[in-house]
Each structure stands twice: as structure tokens, then as C-alpha cells.
Amino acid sequence: MALRHIVTVGDSVLTKVSRPVTQFDSRLHLLLDDMVETLLDAGGVGLAAPQVGVLRRVVVVDTGEDGILELINPEIIDQSGSQTGLEGCLSVPGKYGIVTRPNVVTVRAQDRDGNWFEVEGEALIARCFCHELAHLDGQLYTEVAERMLTPEELQELTEGEEAED
Ligand code: NI
């Protein structure tokens, strides 16, 4: 396993549409292992393959209590409700925006061996599903954000985090 470099906004790989995974082989497993290691190292909630420069439909999500979720060829098959809140991206460092997303999202995806399954996410995880799947279509949250936080708001946010520590 190895850490992969996270590409940032301005790199054209982030604007391209990723191809479906067709081979559930050791190369895919290595990519998944590396993406999980990279996500945990970066302290993010989710990571999509294009963010490490690989244009394949692969996403990893750190759900917290329920551990790491690996989503291959994921699609949203159901969604309900609405939430408006703060969103950031490892590929857009130092910025946050206000984004409205569904509050509950059901995703159909394959696991690393190609088996299809369905998973439901709520609140932060639903937000993460929407955000990461959009990466697979070359879309960043900054395109759908109602607005980005101002430098003053960012400073307050950072100070709040420091106070929590
Ligand atoms: Ni992102």
C-alpha cells in the first residue's frame, strides 16, 4: 500500500468523466487499498479515484462507526429530504461552501469482487455520497454551492476547530 498524491482544482483530471470498472483484479484492489490509506492520512470523509489521478468509477467513504465503504461503479437509486450545510473537498484545499443535498441517499454499487449491493446513507454520509459520485462525472461541489465561505467565516471556522482541541 502507498499514499497517492491528491490532485487539486485546476488539474483537468478533475473535470473528466470516469470510466466504469470492468476488471475486479489485484490492480483494482491495490487502488482501493491506496485510496483508503490516502483518505485516512488526509483525514477526509470520502475520496474518488479521479482525485488521485485515476479516471475510474471508484469511491471510498469513511463512515466512522461502520468503517470504510468501497463503492465501485456506484449510482444513486433513491434520495429523499434535503439538508443545507458546509462542504469541503480534499481537492479544493482551504475552502468551504454551503451546499444543499438530499438528506437520505441510497446507492447501488459493486464491491471489490464485483458483487452488487445497496447502501443507504443519512446526513453527512448522504452528503458524501453525492459529493464523491459527482467527482466521477467531473463535477466539483464548488459548481453547485450556493456560496463559498468568506475569509472571515473561514477564520471563525478554523478558530472554532482549534477551540475544540
Ligand atoms: Ni471532493
Side-chain angles (χ1 to χ4, degrees):
M1 297 212 294
L3 287 177
R4 305 239 181 161
H5 174 69
I6 298 177
V7 299
T8 51
V9 64
D11 191 316
S12 65
V13 76
L14 291 174
T15 65
K16 290 178 178 156
V17 176
S18 292
R19 295 182 301 278
V21 170
T22 54
Q23 309 270 9
F24 295 83
D25 55 9
S26 59
R27 199 167 166 205
L28 173 69
H29 296 174
L30 181 65
L31 171 66
L32 284 162
D33 292 343
D34 286 356
M35 283 176 64
V36 170
E37 193 178 343
T38 304
L39 175 66
L40 295 176
D41 179 73
V45 183
L47 187 69
Q51 293 183 272
V52 294
V54 177
L55 285 168
R56 289 289 179 178
R57 303 188 81 81
V58 175
V59 162
V60 294
V61 176
D62 184 358
T63 67
E65 282 181 4
D66 294 328
I68 298 287
L69 197 54
E70 298 176 343
L71 304 171
I72 323 294
N73 299 327
E75 348 166 355
I76 292 173
I77 56 169
D78 198 19
Q79 60 184 59
S80 62
S82 171
Q83 55 172 323
T84 299
L86 207 57
E87 200 160 314
C89 178
L90 294 173
S91 293
V92 191
K95 295 197 172 175
Y96 291 90
I98 306 292
V99 188
T100 298
R101 304 282 195 186
N103 195 49
V104 182
V105 171
T106 305
V107 167
R108 182 173 183 263
Q110 285 168 284
D111 67 16
R112 59 166 59 205
D113 298 313
N115 304 302
W116 287 97
F117 65 98
E118 289 179 13
V119 58
E120 187 184 89
E122 264 189 76
L124 177 64
I125 302 305
R127 175 177 295 284
C128 183
F129 286 167
C130 295
H131 177 115
E132 299 310 328
L133 267 62
H135 273 299
L136 303 182
D137 290 322
Q139 292 159 4
L140 295 177
Y141 82 94
T142 49
E143 297 166 43
V144 294
E146 285 160 33
R147 64 179 186 86
M148 299 302 288
L149 291 199
T150 64
E152 291 75 23
E153 286 172 320
L154 273 177
Q155 198 180 352
E156 266 180 45
L157 194 69
T158 314
E159 283 167 3
E161 276 172 13
E162 280 165 9
E164 279 169 25
D165 295 340

